[in-house]
């Protein structure tokens, strides 16, 4: 699946991320998990939401999810978990007061949140007769 859209990019990023899972660079894996989840949410938002251009240029997973859920109540994710993952984009990537050194347990949590987002996105895609990527959780 190689298209110029959020879903295809997310699937490509997922495959790359899964290729790095044996390494112990947990910050980069957590950042990658956030990126995949963000692209998955944007792939749904671009098909189900109107007037969210500013949100589409942000890294706000909770905001994206809120807009999607307003339009499709069957699209359900845990907002608290999305907040945890959202924080990884900056906190695990850049130095500063909020910098975190991601450990294995936190990394696993980030991956679980990412996989839940992928699962919900694929459910949305099946419901709307869109192609979806078959993946394995690693």
């Amino acid at each position: 699946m190689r298209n110029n859209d959020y879903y295809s990019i997310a699937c490509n990023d997922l495959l790359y991320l899964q290729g790095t899972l044996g390494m112990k660079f947990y910050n980069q894996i957590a950042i990658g998990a956030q990126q995949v989840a963000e692209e998955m949410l944007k792939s749904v938002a671009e098909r189900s939401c109107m007037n969210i251009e500013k949100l589409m240029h942000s890294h706000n997973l909770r905001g994206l999810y809120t807009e999607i859920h307003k339009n499709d109540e069957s699209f359900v994710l845990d907002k608290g978990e999305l907040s945890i993952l959202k924080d990884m984009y900056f906190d695990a990537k850049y130095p500063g007061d909020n910098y975190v050194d991601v450990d294995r347990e936190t990394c696993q949590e980030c991956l679980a949140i990412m996989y839940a987002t992928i699962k919900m996105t694929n459910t949305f895609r099946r419901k709307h007769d869109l192609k979806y990527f078959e993946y394995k959780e690693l």
Side-chain angles (χ1 to χ4, degrees):
M1 182 178 308
R2 292 180 92 91
N3 295 316
N4 186 14
D5 61 24
Y6 280 112
Y7 187 76
S8 296
I9 293 168
C11 292
N12 186 57
D13 287 350
L14 172 63
L15 291 172
Y16 178 82
L17 177 65
Q18 287 182 327
T20 67
L21 290 180
M23 299 179 180
K24 294 184 180 174
F25 299 107
Y26 299 128
N27 279 45
Q28 289 303 313
I29 294 170
I31 293 164
Q34 184 283 335
Q35 187 70 32
V36 170
E38 178 183 324
E39 292 160 350
M40 287 287 171
L41 290 174
K42 286 180 177 179
S43 78
V44 174
E46 71 184 354
R47 293 186 174 276
S48 65
C49 302
M50 303 282 288
N51 302 316
I52 60 163
E53 290 79 18
K54 185 177 178 182
L55 193 55
M56 292 295 281
H57 294 285
S58 76
H59 304 289
N60 188 344
L61 301 183
R62 284 184 54 204
L64 287 163
Y65 168 71
T66 298
E67 290 301 316
I68 293 166
H69 187 71
K70 282 182 194 176
N71 294 299
D72 183 350
E73 291 183 358
S74 68
F75 194 95
V76 178
L77 293 168
D78 185 304
K79 282 175 114 174
E81 289 182 348
L82 290 174
S83 291
I84 292 167
L85 196 54
K86 176 188 75 75
D87 290 343
M88 289 299 145
Y89 185 80
F90 293 106
D91 295 351
K93 192 172 188 175
Y94 300 109
D97 293 339
N98 294 326
Y99 178 80
V100 295
D101 192 15
V102 178
D103 60 18
R104 187 175 195 280
E105 183 179 319
T106 302
C107 185
Q108 292 297 331
E109 182 179 9
C110 291
L111 290 169
I113 298 164
M114 176 196 73
Y115 284 125
T117 305
I118 295 169
K119 182 178 180 181
M120 185 54 58
T121 299
N122 281 350
T123 298
F124 174 89
R125 293 183 69 83
R126 279 191 295 277
K127 179 178 163 184
H128 295 280
D129 295 320
L130 299 167
K131 291 181 181 177
Y132 59 93
F133 177 68
E134 295 284 346
Y135 67 97
K136 291 183 181 178
E137 288 188 32
L138 301 177

